[in-house]
């Protein structure tokens, strides 16, 4: 991204969605290159060096999950997936395979641009040294001191609760699947989402003013959780 606006590769077979996404991106001065099939998308990914990929899961040749897996064999470029309602399992598999986030069709201009901002921010964060202090709203996590405060009052967390919160904070704004969180917090081999739900409920009771209407620890129904980034 040397001065020029980021190049976005859009892999999508539906012309209306391509038109909508292209218009949205160009209104923000992003450069856009389009691909209609998975094969064409993989080719552009290697030859055009895009800065971010928007990838439809339902493509005519190879599906978006395969495209994600093939891309992740050689690149960490941010991938946002587009999925149709009712294709939850595919979406979760793509996230587990390394996609950064998803949008469910139909989505708005605002949602698309917000997800892109998070993906770019996250990539910058992974490339440069991370900040020792994470702050969103009135919630503050001091990673160096291992101290969590809400409205400047200290919150006491168990080691698991702390790990869960800091894992979400490291990827703030992005969705993490149940499987990714279980692996990261409890280690490989744990696949009991009930466990995760129990700890998330405890954490919300400590961190949220209204645990039933969370402001920070957001549920992505059927997929996982996301820590609010703004
Ligand atoms: Ca499609």
């Amino acid at each position: 991204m040397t001065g020029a606006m980021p190049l976005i590769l859009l892999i999508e077979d539906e012309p209306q969605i391509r038109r909508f996404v292209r218009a949205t991106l160009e209104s923000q001065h992003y450069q856009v290159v389009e691909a209609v099939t998975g094969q064409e998308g993989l080719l552009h990914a290697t030859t055009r060096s895009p800065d971010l990929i928007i990838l439809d899961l339902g493509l005519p040749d190879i599906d978006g999950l395969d495209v994600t897996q093939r891309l992740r064999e050689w690149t960490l470029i941010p991938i946002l997936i587009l999925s149709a309602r009712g294709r939850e399992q595919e979406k979760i598999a793509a996230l587990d395979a390394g996609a950064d986030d998803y949008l469910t069709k139909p989505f708005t201009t605002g949602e698309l641009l917000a997800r892109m901002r998070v993906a770019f921010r996250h990539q910058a964060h992974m490339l440069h040294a991370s900040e020792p202090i994470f702050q969103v709203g009135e919630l503050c996590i001091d990673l160096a001191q291992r101290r969590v405060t809400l409205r400047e009052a200290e919150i006491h967390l168990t080691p698991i609760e702390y790990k869960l919160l800091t894992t979400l904070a490291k990827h703030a704004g992005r969705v993490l699947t149940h499987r990714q969180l279980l692996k990261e917090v409890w280690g490989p081999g744990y696949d009991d989402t009930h466990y995760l739900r129990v700890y998330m409920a405890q954490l919300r009771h400590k961190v949220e003013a209204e645990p039933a209407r969370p402001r920070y620890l957001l549920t992505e129904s059927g997929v996982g959780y996301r820590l609010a980034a703004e």
Side-chain angles (χ1 to χ4, degrees), residues 105-117:
K105 297 174 187 178
F107 51 89
T108 65
T109 302
E111 286 170 327
L112 172 61
L113 296 173
R115 292 280 180 269
M116 287 175 61
R117 276 198 301 277

Side-chain angles (χ1 to χ4, degrees), residues 12-14 56-60 87 105:
E12 165 66 84
D13 61 321
E14 287 167 67
D56 179 33
L57 283 182
L59 292 167
R87 302 182 83 158
K105 297 174 187 178

Side-chain angles (χ1 to χ4, degrees), residues 214-228:
R215 149 90 175 80
Y216 304 113
L217 297 160
L218 311 176
T219 297
E220 289 292 321
S221 195
V223 177
Y225 298 96
R226 177 193 305 275
L227 184 67

Side-chain angles (χ1 to χ4, degrees), residues 23 36 58 65-66 77 90 95 127 131:
V36 178
L65 174 60
D66 279 344
I77 178 178
E90 255 179 350
L95 290 167
L127 293 175
E131 293 286 325

Side-chain angles (χ1 to χ4, degrees), residues 185-202:
V185 177
W186 283 274
Y190 281 88
D191 58 1
D192 188 353
T193 54
H194 174 69
Y195 229 60
L196 182 57
R197 254 180 235 117
V198 168
Y199 275 91
M200 189 58 73
Q202 283 174 207

